[in-house]
Amino acid sequence: MTDQSQPTALPPIAERRPHSVTHHGITVDDPWAWLRDPGYPDVQDKDVLAYLEAENGWFEGAMAPHKPLLDTLFQEMKGRIKEDDQSVPQKDGDYVYWRAFETGAQYRKWYRKPVAGGDDQLILDEPALAEGHDYFRLGAMSVSPDGRYLAYAIDTNGSERFEARIKDLFSGEILPEVIPDTLSSLVWTADSKGLLYGLANENWRTDNARLHWLGQGVESDVELFHEDDEGFRVSIGLTSSEKWIVIATGDHVTSEAWLVPADNPTATPMLVAARKPGREYDVDEHEGTLYIRTNDSHPNFRLVKATLDAPDQWEEVIGADAHFYLTDFTLFKGFYVTEGRQDGLDQIELRDYATHSAKRIPFPEASYSASLDDNPEYDVTKLRIGYESMVTPDTIYDYHLETGALEVLKVQEIPSGYDATRYAAERLMIAARDGTEIPVSIVYPRDFPRDGSAPLHLYGYGAYGLAMEPGFSTSRLSLLDRGFAFAIAHIRGGDDLGQQWYLDGKLDKRVNTFTDFVDVAQGLIDLGYASKGRISISGGSAGGELMGAVINSDPDLWGAVVAHVPFVDVLNTMLDETLPLTPGEWPEWGNPIEDEAAFRTIQSYDPYTHVRAQDYPPLMVTAGLNDPRVTYWEPAKWVAKLRATKTDSNILLLKTNMGAGHGGKSGRFESLHETAEEFAFILWQLGVEG
């Protein structure tokens, strides 16, 4: 068995400093509130930095004896990645575009080639842009309609405040204008002379759409749209025909869209339909007709159409269906595509504009993930589609409209080898305590025993209406090949089974998310896939909140827990309207400032609040110093409180990336290293041979 002992040094102890807040007559004590640097996002407080560095030192010391295992895992994972990989080229106008990694490179290079013939052109060199930076992320990028200019945005510290630049692809020159603090798509005007973007305000919220003219100073940029509601965010896009710019604004439950002619961006924006609380919609245009997906009559959305003259007068095209969740639609010149989930499984349907009848694209497996891939052109005779499952590597198809044939263009290559026949995947339904059937996707080695003796890893998220697709992972093979089963719990709070599934796991129903996860674990135990204490679990962000809740409620179920950038200080965060995301998050969690019932609901499950004197499982926690989504002090405070309160001697680790944000380290190998750390921790704690 692997050594499970603690490191010899003592863990850092964060001191208590009296602090309390009172709302609705209820006083909440928070003696670790000082871990929030008052200068955030510029963290300079010496005590805060000293504590985080001490925790990092404790993490490194604890993991040091397991470095051989970590290195083995990393090399395994790296060996499954084709180092000189490239995407399938795709035509867009006069050029074919693709991206490629070179051997050993952390980041991609982006290329194009003229359709008419000519040499490959390097249009963006990520490795060169990343040079000298500990962190690098490419955000939005967009080529102008005439093919001459490339607008792109980069983040070099993880704060998600991107700097936008413009490159002349004909000359290779980087234009002098720099647009700082962008937080949106970059959308060109039809004449390729103007660029629309959204600027992050002082609270890291995009409340505007702005227009920049090439060759002019950024200080002269024009604000085309401004949103006054602090809870709403503005986004910018193009219709499929590229005739209209779409300026959309909304929060988690309400939306509103405005249209601006792409060839006249300073024209008065045209409102599609005024916002109504609880109504969401998105819009596209085809030959003067607007198509609109909306949840105005049913949570699973319907498709309607309207004229440009009367955009708020809607005529139904596809009615809402309790069993089919309409997730998206894409308009092409001669047909359109609807995407959705039938009883939780992805479906892609082709429809004609005259009858709107559907032709569904068939897929071979009982559980899978499928969606439209890169389809930039409006007039097409084939569709690019992406497909994968828990046992089938990522596969890119062209679907030929005339014949209905699926042409395989690329299957994810695994250089070290992969034999799909060694693994089996299932889709289970496990009853929650209220009788609701919870879908579970699970993959395991074919010789996996059903007697509870083998380890199982369970993953969950369950928030924001985000589904966890049953996709493929090369890293996951390092657990499967050591005898693990790997399961995804499609718990309420996601939209795996439709919008009602999401609604049943938010606000005053939030606890369903946590109890679903626990009940799935117990169900897997009852079915022989696992046993108590032999289950490792992980989740990130809101999934980290899930981790915090279930170790409070059922600590003895779990043998190892990994919480990435965990949203565990929910009450304090939702009480702080100065934080970047808080006002926009109130429709998801509730507004405890204005609503006492929301305060009490959040307080009733808040993971940080409910840390108590009991035994907790082994726990590894990660944070990002520059994270604007889950601020670093949430995991730091949580770990500090756990150290001061828990009654066990199990390992508790906190690793803070001091130069990264919500997504952890950048670069494909650096991120693999962090996954290797997570898996090494899990194997160590479950006593699985390396």
Side-chain angles (χ1 to χ4, degrees), residues 10-39:
L10 293 176
I13 302 296
E15 66 176 293
R16 299 171 185 257
R17 299 180 185 177
H19 178 86
S20 64
V21 294
T22 300
H23 290 269
H24 310 293
I26 305 167
T27 298
V28 178
D29 292 319
D30 188 5
W32 293 280
W34 64 270
L35 285 167
R36 173 183 177 170
D37 189 320

mmCIF file of all heavy atoms in Angstrom, residues 10-39:
data_model
loop_
_atom_site.group_PDB
_atom_site.id
_atom_site.type_symbol
_atom_site.label_atom_id
_atom_site.label_comp_id
_atom_site.label_asym_id
_atom_site.label_seq_id
_atom_site.Cartn_x
_atom_site.Cartn_y
_atom_site.Cartn_z
ATOM 1 N N LEU A 10 4.301 20.838 10.695
ATOM 2 C CA LEU A 10 2.931 21.171 11.062
ATOM 3 C C LEU A 10 2.314 22.083 10.015
ATOM 4 O O LEU A 10 2.992 22.944 9.452
ATOM 5 C CB LEU A 10 2.918 21.865 12.426
ATOM 6 C CG LEU A 10 3.331 21.007 13.616
ATOM 7 C CD1 LEU A 10 3.378 21.853 14.880
ATOM 8 C CD2 LEU A 10 2.374 19.836 13.793
ATOM 9 N N PRO A 11 1.043 21.927 9.750
ATOM 10 C CA PRO A 11 0.397 22.757 8.723
ATOM 11 C C PRO A 11 0.268 24.203 9.181
ATOM 12 O O PRO A 11 0.262 24.494 10.385
ATOM 13 C CB PRO A 11 -0.974 22.110 8.568
ATOM 14 C CG PRO A 11 -1.237 21.446 9.869
ATOM 15 C CD PRO A 11 0.097 20.966 10.352
ATOM 16 N N PRO A 12 0.142 25.128 8.245
ATOM 17 C CA PRO A 12 -0.049 26.536 8.613
ATOM 18 C C PRO A 12 -1.376 26.722 9.349
ATOM 19 O O PRO A 12 -2.365 26.071 9.037
ATOM 20 C CB PRO A 12 -0.080 27.258 7.264
ATOM 21 C CG PRO A 12 0.465 26.289 6.276
ATOM 22 C CD PRO A 12 0.172 24.927 6.796
ATOM 23 N N ILE A 13 -1.374 27.600 10.304
ATOM 24 C CA ILE A 13 -2.595 27.944 11.033
ATOM 25 C C ILE A 13 -2.860 29.436 10.825
ATOM 26 O O ILE A 13 -2.022 30.278 11.178
ATOM 27 C CB ILE A 13 -2.473 27.646 12.541
ATOM 28 C CG1 ILE A 13 -2.161 26.161 12.766
ATOM 29 C CG2 ILE A 13 -3.755 28.061 13.265
ATOM 30 C CD1 ILE A 13 -3.259 25.217 12.296
ATOM 31 N N ALA A 14 -3.996 29.759 10.240
ATOM 32 C CA ALA A 14 -4.366 31.163 10.045
ATOM 33 C C ALA A 14 -5.001 31.692 11.318
ATOM 34 O O ALA A 14 -5.944 31.087 11.850
ATOM 35 C CB ALA A 14 -5.333 31.290 8.877
ATOM 36 N N GLU A 15 -4.499 32.807 11.812
ATOM 37 C CA GLU A 15 -5.038 33.336 13.062
ATOM 38 C C GLU A 15 -6.471 33.826 12.893
ATOM 39 O O GLU A 15 -6.920 34.140 11.794
ATOM 40 C CB GLU A 15 -4.160 34.485 13.558
ATOM 41 C CG GLU A 15 -4.173 35.720 12.666
ATOM 42 C CD GLU A 15 -3.364 36.862 13.261
ATOM 43 O OE1 GLU A 15 -3.796 37.380 14.311
ATOM 44 O OE2 GLU A 15 -2.319 37.205 12.677
ATOM 45 N N ARG A 16 -7.177 33.858 14.003
ATOM 46 C CA ARG A 16 -8.531 34.400 14.030
ATOM 47 C C ARG A 16 -8.456 35.891 14.355
ATOM 48 O O ARG A 16 -7.729 36.296 15.267
ATOM 49 C CB ARG A 16 -9.376 33.706 15.094
ATOM 50 C CG ARG A 16 -9.562 32.217 14.901
ATOM 51 C CD ARG A 16 -10.225 31.628 16.146
ATOM 52 N NE ARG A 16 -10.351 30.186 16.100
ATOM 53 C CZ ARG A 16 -11.480 29.538 15.831
ATOM 54 N NH1 ARG A 16 -12.581 30.221 15.578
ATOM 55 N NH2 ARG A 16 -11.522 28.222 15.817
ATOM 56 N N ARG A 17 -9.221 36.675 13.619
ATOM 57 C CA ARG A 17 -9.338 38.105 13.902
ATOM 58 C C ARG A 17 -10.824 38.435 13.946
ATOM 59 O O ARG A 17 -11.542 38.153 12.980
ATOM 60 C CB ARG A 17 -8.637 38.941 12.832
ATOM 61 C CG ARG A 17 -7.138 38.677 12.728
ATOM 62 C CD ARG A 17 -6.481 39.538 11.655
ATOM 63 N NE ARG A 17 -5.074 39.208 11.473
ATOM 64 C CZ ARG A 17 -4.281 39.769 10.561
ATOM 65 N NH1 ARG A 17 -4.790 40.696 9.741
ATOM 66 N NH2 ARG A 17 -3.014 39.395 10.451
ATOM 67 N N PRO A 18 -11.289 39.020 15.023
ATOM 68 C CA PRO A 18 -12.734 39.266 15.164
ATOM 69 C C PRO A 18 -13.297 40.066 13.992
ATOM 70 O O PRO A 18 -12.736 41.083 13.580
ATOM 71 C CB PRO A 18 -12.840 40.055 16.472
ATOM 72 C CG PRO A 18 -11.606 39.681 17.235
ATOM 73 C CD PRO A 18 -10.537 39.476 16.210
ATOM 74 N N HIS A 19 -14.393 39.572 13.439
ATOM 75 C CA HIS A 19 -15.081 40.247 12.343
ATOM 76 C C HIS A 19 -16.486 39.681 12.271
ATOM 77 O O HIS A 19 -16.689 38.472 12.404
ATOM 78 C CB HIS A 19 -14.359 40.007 11.013
ATOM 79 C CG HIS A 19 -15.056 40.635 9.837
ATOM 80 N ND1 HIS A 19 -14.849 41.940 9.458
ATOM 81 C CD2 HIS A 19 -15.971 40.141 8.975
ATOM 82 C CE1 HIS A 19 -15.599 42.215 8.409
ATOM 83 N NE2 HIS A 19 -16.299 41.135 8.091
ATOM 84 N N SER A 20 -17.452 40.552 12.072
ATOM 85 C CA SER A 20 -18.828 40.072 11.943
ATOM 86 C C SER A 20 -19.620 41.048 11.080
ATOM 87 O O SER A 20 -19.269 42.225 10.959
ATOM 88 C CB SER A 20 -19.493 39.907 13.307
ATOM 89 O OG SER A 20 -19.609 41.153 13.964
ATOM 90 N N VAL A 21 -20.685 40.534 10.477
ATOM 91 C CA VAL A 21 -21.635 41.350 9.724
ATOM 92 C C VAL A 21 -23.039 40.964 10.173
ATOM 93 O O VAL A 21 -23.284 39.834 10.593
ATOM 94 C CB VAL A 21 -21.494 41.147 8.201
ATOM 95 C CG1 VAL A 21 -20.150 41.653 7.719
ATOM 96 C CG2 VAL A 21 -21.683 39.682 7.823
ATOM 97 N N THR A 22 -23.950 41.933 10.109
ATOM 98 C CA THR A 22 -25.331 41.676 10.521
ATOM 99 C C THR A 22 -26.280 42.062 9.401
ATOM 100 O O THR A 22 -26.197 43.170 8.853
ATOM 101 C CB THR A 22 -25.678 42.468 11.790
ATOM 102 O OG1 THR A 22 -24.789 42.075 12.844
ATOM 103 C CG2 THR A 22 -27.119 42.195 12.221
ATOM 104 N N HIS A 23 -27.136 41.139 9.031
ATOM 105 C CA HIS A 23 -28.173 41.372 8.031
ATOM 106 C C HIS A 23 -29.459 40.737 8.537
ATOM 107 O O HIS A 23 -29.436 39.622 9.084
ATOM 108 C CB HIS A 23 -27.789 40.755 6.683
ATOM 109 C CG HIS A 23 -26.661 41.443 5.990
ATOM 110 N ND1 HIS A 23 -26.851 42.473 5.102
ATOM 111 C CD2 HIS A 23 -25.327 41.248 6.070
ATOM 112 C CE1 HIS A 23 -25.674 42.883 4.648
ATOM 113 N NE2 HIS A 23 -24.737 42.145 5.211
ATOM 114 N N HIS A 24 -30.556 41.444 8.370
ATOM 115 C CA HIS A 24 -31.883 40.946 8.765
ATOM 116 C C HIS A 24 -31.895 40.529 10.238
ATOM 117 O O HIS A 24 -32.571 39.566 10.623
ATOM 118 C CB HIS A 24 -32.292 39.765 7.877
ATOM 119 C CG HIS A 24 -32.152 40.035 6.409
ATOM 120 N ND1 HIS A 24 -32.935 40.960 5.748
ATOM 121 C CD2 HIS A 24 -31.298 39.518 5.479
ATOM 122 C CE1 HIS A 24 -32.574 40.987 4.468
ATOM 123 N NE2 HIS A 24 -31.588 40.142 4.290
ATOM 124 N N GLY A 25 -31.102 41.226 11.036
ATOM 125 C CA GLY A 25 -31.050 40.913 12.455
ATOM 126 C C GLY A 25 -30.230 39.691 12.791
ATOM 127 O O GLY A 25 -30.187 39.265 13.952
ATOM 128 N N ILE A 26 -29.554 39.124 11.811
ATOM 129 C CA ILE A 26 -28.749 37.909 12.006
ATOM 130 C C ILE A 26 -27.279 38.298 11.900
ATOM 131 O O ILE A 26 -26.850 38.892 10.902
ATOM 132 C CB ILE A 26 -29.092 36.838 10.962
ATOM 133 C CG1 ILE A 26 -30.586 36.529 10.983
ATOM 134 C CG2 ILE A 26 -28.273 35.573 11.187
ATOM 135 C CD1 ILE A 26 -31.055 35.715 9.793
ATOM 136 N N THR A 27 -26.500 37.986 12.907
ATOM 137 C CA THR A 27 -25.081 38.302 12.925
ATOM 138 C C THR A 27 -24.270 37.080 12.527
ATOM 139 O O THR A 27 -24.482 35.979 13.047
ATOM 140 C CB THR A 27 -24.633 38.784 14.308
ATOM 141 O OG1 THR A 27 -25.348 39.988 14.625
ATOM 142 C CG2 THR A 27 -23.136 39.071 14.331
ATOM 143 N N VAL A 28 -23.354 37.278 11.588
ATOM 144 C CA VAL A 28 -22.497 36.201 11.099
ATOM 145 C C VAL A 28 -21.056 36.541 11.460
ATOM 146 O O VAL A 28 -20.526 37.574 11.047
ATOM 147 C CB VAL A 28 -22.633 36.043 9.570
ATOM 148 C CG1 VAL A 28 -21.693 34.953 9.063
ATOM 149 C CG2 VAL A 28 -24.077 35.732 9.187
ATOM 150 N N ASP A 29 -20.437 35.684 12.243
ATOM 151 C CA ASP A 29 -19.035 35.855 12.600
ATOM 152 C C ASP A 29 -18.149 35.254 11.518
ATOM 153 O O ASP A 29 -18.445 34.180 10.974
ATOM 154 C CB ASP A 29 -18.727 35.166 13.935
ATOM 155 C CG ASP A 29 -19.409 35.866 15.103
ATOM 156 O OD1 ASP A 29 -19.421 37.109 15.126
ATOM 157 O OD2 ASP A 29 -19.942 35.160 15.982
ATOM 158 N N ASP A 30 -17.057 35.946 11.212
ATOM 159 C CA ASP A 30 -16.152 35.483 10.161
ATOM 160 C C ASP A 30 -14.722 35.850 10.550
ATOM 161 O O ASP A 30 -14.150 36.820 10.037
ATOM 162 C CB ASP A 30 -16.539 36.116 8.825
ATOM 163 C CG ASP A 30 -15.761 35.531 7.658
ATOM 164 O OD1 ASP A 30 -14.998 34.574 7.877
ATOM 165 O OD2 ASP A 30 -15.915 36.036 6.534
ATOM 166 N N PRO A 31 -14.111 35.070 11.436
ATOM 167 C CA PRO A 31 -12.785 35.444 11.960
ATOM 168 C C PRO A 31 -11.652 35.315 10.950
ATOM 169 O O PRO A 31 -10.531 35.718 11.249
ATOM 170 C CB PRO A 31 -12.589 34.477 13.127
ATOM 171 C CG PRO A 31 -13.490 33.318 12.833
ATOM 172 C CD PRO A 31 -14.657 33.881 12.106
ATOM 173 N N TRP A 32 -11.922 34.777 9.752
ATOM 174 C CA TRP A 32 -10.886 34.699 8.723
ATOM 175 C C TRP A 32 -11.158 35.662 7.570
ATOM 176 O O TRP A 32 -10.559 35.547 6.501
ATOM 177 C CB TRP A 32 -10.767 33.260 8.214
ATOM 178 C CG TRP A 32 -10.229 32.344 9.287
ATOM 179 C CD1 TRP A 32 -8.926 32.186 9.663
ATOM 180 C CD2 TRP A 32 -11.002 31.510 10.148
ATOM 181 N NE1 TRP A 32 -8.832 31.292 10.697
ATOM 182 C CE2 TRP A 32 -10.101 30.850 11.031
ATOM 183 C CE3 TRP A 32 -12.360 31.232 10.286
ATOM 184 C CZ2 TRP A 32 -10.518 29.953 11.997
ATOM 185 C CZ3 TRP A 32 -12.772 30.335 11.257
ATOM 186 C CH2 TRP A 32 -11.867 29.709 12.096
ATOM 187 N N ALA A 33 -12.034 36.623 7.795
ATOM 188 C CA ALA A 33 -12.344 37.612 6.752
ATOM 189 C C ALA A 33 -11.108 38.413 6.356
ATOM 190 O O ALA A 33 -11.048 38.955 5.240
ATOM 191 C CB ALA A 33 -13.450 38.547 7.226
ATOM 192 N N TRP A 34 -10.118 38.501 7.231
ATOM 193 C CA TRP A 34 -8.916 39.287 6.936
ATOM 194 C C TRP A 34 -8.116 38.721 5.760
ATOM 195 O O TRP A 34 -7.267 39.429 5.197
ATOM 196 C CB TRP A 34 -8.017 39.372 8.171
ATOM 197 C CG TRP A 34 -7.446 38.050 8.634
ATOM 198 C CD1 TRP A 34 -7.998 37.178 9.523
ATOM 199 C CD2 TRP A 34 -6.201 37.465 8.220
ATOM 200 N NE1 TRP A 34 -7.187 36.079 9.692
ATOM 201 C CE2 TRP A 34 -6.074 36.238 8.900
ATOM 202 C CE3 TRP A 34 -5.196 37.854 7.343
ATOM 203 C CZ2 TRP A 34 -4.978 35.392 8.739
ATOM 204 C CZ3 TRP A 34 -4.097 37.013 7.168
ATOM 205 C CH2 TRP A 34 -3.998 35.798 7.868
ATOM 206 N N LEU A 35 -8.398 37.477 5.372
ATOM 207 C CA LEU A 35 -7.675 36.894 4.244
ATOM 208 C C LEU A 35 -8.057 37.540 2.913
ATOM 209 O O LEU A 35 -7.405 37.303 1.900
ATOM 210 C CB LEU A 35 -7.912 35.377 4.196
ATOM 211 C CG LEU A 35 -7.137 34.582 5.264
ATOM 212 C CD1 LEU A 35 -7.645 33.158 5.360
ATOM 213 C CD2 LEU A 35 -5.641 34.615 4.964
ATOM 214 N N ARG A 36 -9.093 38.342 2.926
ATOM 215 C CA ARG A 36 -9.401 39.140 1.739
ATOM 216 C C ARG A 36 -8.577 40.423 1.788
ATOM 217 O O ARG A 36 -8.788 41.277 2.648
ATOM 218 C CB ARG A 36 -10.886 39.490 1.683
ATOM 219 C CG ARG A 36 -11.181 40.451 0.542
ATOM 220 C CD ARG A 36 -12.607 40.902 0.476
ATOM 221 N NE ARG A 36 -12.785 41.874 -0.594
ATOM 222 C CZ ARG A 36 -13.950 42.329 -1.031
ATOM 223 N NH1 ARG A 36 -15.065 41.887 -0.477
ATOM 224 N NH2 ARG A 36 -14.020 43.217 -1.993
ATOM 225 N N ASP A 37 -7.645 40.542 0.854
ATOM 226 C CA ASP A 37 -6.841 41.760 0.776
ATOM 227 C C ASP A 37 -7.742 42.921 0.371
ATOM 228 O O ASP A 37 -8.403 42.849 -0.668
ATOM 229 C CB ASP A 37 -5.722 41.572 -0.252
ATOM 230 C CG ASP A 37 -4.705 42.701 -0.234
ATOM 231 O OD1 ASP A 37 -5.120 43.869 -0.082
ATOM 232 O OD2 ASP A 37 -3.509 42.421 -0.388
ATOM 233 N N PRO A 38 -7.796 44.001 1.164
ATOM 234 C CA PRO A 38 -8.655 45.139 0.801
ATOM 235 C C PRO A 38 -8.258 45.793 -0.511
ATOM 236 O O PRO A 38 -9.055 46.515 -1.111
ATOM 237 C CB PRO A 38 -8.484 46.108 1.979
ATOM 238 C CG PRO A 38 -7.215 45.696 2.648
ATOM 239 C CD PRO A 38 -7.086 44.222 2.437
ATOM 240 N N GLY A 39 -7.048 45.534 -0.990
ATOM 241 C CA GLY A 39 -6.607 46.106 -2.259
ATOM 242 C C GLY A 39 -6.913 45.243 -3.464
ATOM 243 O O GLY A 39 -6.527 45.592 -4.578
#
